Amino acid sequence: MKITKAIACATAFATLALSSTVSLAAGYPERSITMIVPFSAGGPTDTVSRLVAEAMSKDLGQQIIIENVGGAGGTLGAGRVASAEGDGYTLLLHHIGMATSATLYRKLAYDTLNAFEYVGLVTEVPMTIVARKDMDAKDLKGLIDYAKAHKDTVTVANAGIGAASHLCGMLFMSAIQTPLVTVPYKGTGPAMTDLLGGQVDIMCDQTTNTTKQIQGGTIKAYAVTSPKRLDVLKDVPTAVEGGLAGFEVGIWHGIYAPKGTPKEATERLSKALQVALKDPNVAARFAELGTAPSSASDATPVALKAKLESEITRWKPVIEGAGQYAD
Ligand code: MLT
């Protein structure tokens, strides 16, 4: 009799535990969610994150709170999420740096392809090659000539090895076959402050951080890295027009969760992301900043997983060819 009762109790407990796990996911989210942005506030990743988080919060009925964790080109913030509880209440919004860091850092605190669950792609942002407003060059060729002539003193800002600004700077230096002095920041928000003040000379940064400054004439734009000119920056030639053959790079962004986050949670988050990206205000704001929302089919776990895997493969030989590593 006692054994039967014990088995009945154990079965009831197991059922309750299972149903409470399912009901947690079914009622998910029941409290606010933290979204880690692996760069400083005020930069392009932060801008994209706050826009999307606000729109997702409306659909989820719970606040998504942004926490900026900058440093080491985005890998500190990514590492924070990799080691977080997979309960659906911690997210990471990161970009192409997730893929490039897998090669750049030979001692990462996490295994890029096994430490995360996937929510979906958010947007792909073009970059701009910009300089302090008093830069003495009238076009991209002039900027390249100036950089070569002053290679020991010209400074190029970036957000650390693994950042999109680092990748673009690395491609630029490879294309002109001239190493330049690089100045790392915890994000291109603070880097922009120094560019505006003339404390640093050149930066390759995303249109989500540079468009308004270019339009306002507070920095000089020499090229965009998109295949064709941007509606919001019609007078800025593409890097290919400026003579850098094949110089095209788009900074794709995705939302991740720690490994073990329930599928019900990542699917619910992907739905909220798709709703957010269809929000006319989000699309309008992205357009003002030179970018556009990812499609509903790209705002899915399977699409982000495929993108990350293919981009790691794509950038590995490029990074190895440049011989730049973080350690
Ligand atoms: C980068 O990778 O350069 C980041 O976008 C910088 C930032 O968001 O602050």
Side-chain angles (χ1 to χ4, degrees):
M1 189 59 172
K2 271 188 182 166
I3 290 173
T4 312
K5 195 173 176 193
I7 289 169
C9 287
T11 307
F13 178 76
T15 308
L16 181 65
L18 187 63
S19 63
S20 64
T21 308
V22 170
S23 68
L24 171 68
Y28 171 82
E30 296 159 327
R31 54 187 165 83
S32 62
I33 295 168
T34 298
M35 178 180 277
I36 301 290
V37 173
F39 296 100
S40 310
T45 313
D46 187 62
T47 297
V48 167
S49 301
R50 289 176 193 276
L51 262 174
V52 167
E54 185 184 354
M56 286 178 71
S57 297
K58 285 182 204 155
D59 185 72
L60 291 166
Q62 293 289 350
Q63 273 301 104
I64 295 181
I65 297 162
I66 300 294
E67 183 180 343
N68 300 88
V69 180
T75 58
L76 286 187
R80 168 83 77 81
V81 176
S83 57
E85 185 70 33
D87 59 5
Y89 291 96
T90 301
L91 302 177
L92 169 71
L93 193 146
H94 198 359
H95 56 39
I96 194 170
M98 269 301 250
T100 58
S101 295
T103 301
L104 284 162
Y105 287 80
R106 287 178 282 207
K107 290 198 285 286
L108 265 184
Y110 53 87
D111 174 353
T112 302
L113 288 175
N114 293 296
F116 302 95
E117 305 293 351
Y118 302 91
V119 172
L121 286 160
V122 176
T123 183
E124 181 158 338
V125 184
M127 301 200 86
T128 48
I129 299 174
V130 295
R132 54 182 163 74
K133 68 178 176 197
D134 57 353
M135 172 59 71
D136 186 15
K138 64 176 174 45
D139 56 20
L140 184 58
K141 184 184 178 314
L143 181 70
I144 292 168
D145 292 344
Y146 179 90
K148 288 183 171 181
H150 302 82
K151 63 180 171 47
D152 298 329
T153 54
V154 162
T155 51
V156 181
N158 66 40
I161 294 178
S165 44
H166 163 262
L167 173 67
C168 189
M170 183 183 79
L171 295 174
F172 181 68
M173 288 183 262
S174 296
I176 68 172
Q177 296 179 322
T178 307
L180 303 172
V181 178
T182 56
V183 182
Y185 295 78
K186 287 198 169 182
T188 49
M192 178 61 81
T193 303
D194 278 3
L195 191 70
L196 291 168
Q199 282 79 32
V200 71
D201 298 311
I202 297 172
M203 180 159 71
C204 186
D205 196 16
Q206 299 170 71
T207 56
T208 34
N209 197 32
T210 60
T211 299
K212 295 301 174 199
Q213 303 294 355
I214 294 166
Q215 292 171 338
T218 52
I219 58 174
K220 253 184 181 176
Y222 288 91
V224 291
T225 65
S226 39
K228 57 185 180 43
R229 294 193 183 202
L230 300 175
D231 291 346
V232 290
L233 296 170
K234 284 192 189 324
D235 299 335
V236 183
T238 66
V240 171
E241 283 179 273
L244 292 180
F247 198 98
E248 287 180 16
V249 59
I251 309 304
W252 53 273
H253 294 62
I255 297 177
Y256 304 83
K259 195 73 177 172
T261 301
K263 187 171 183 297
E264 294 82 353
T266 53
E267 294 292 345
R268 177 65 188 89
L269 288 162
S270 173
K271 178 188 163 299
L273 174 58
Q274 293 172 48
V275 169
L277 296 178
K278 286 193 187 104
D279 181 330
N281 299 323
V282 171
R285 191 79 184 100
F286 273 3
E288 281 171 17
L289 297 174
T291 190
S294 294
S295 64
S297 58
D298 280 348
T300 57
V302 66
L304 177 55
K305 182 175 189 292
K307 184 73 172 179
L308 179 60
E309 290 169 346
S310 64
E311 287 281 282
I312 288 174
T313 305
R314 173 190 176 197
W315 291 104
K316 189 172 187 320
V318 175
I319 290 164
E320 289 169 344
Q324 281 200 23
Y325 294 98
D327 38 30

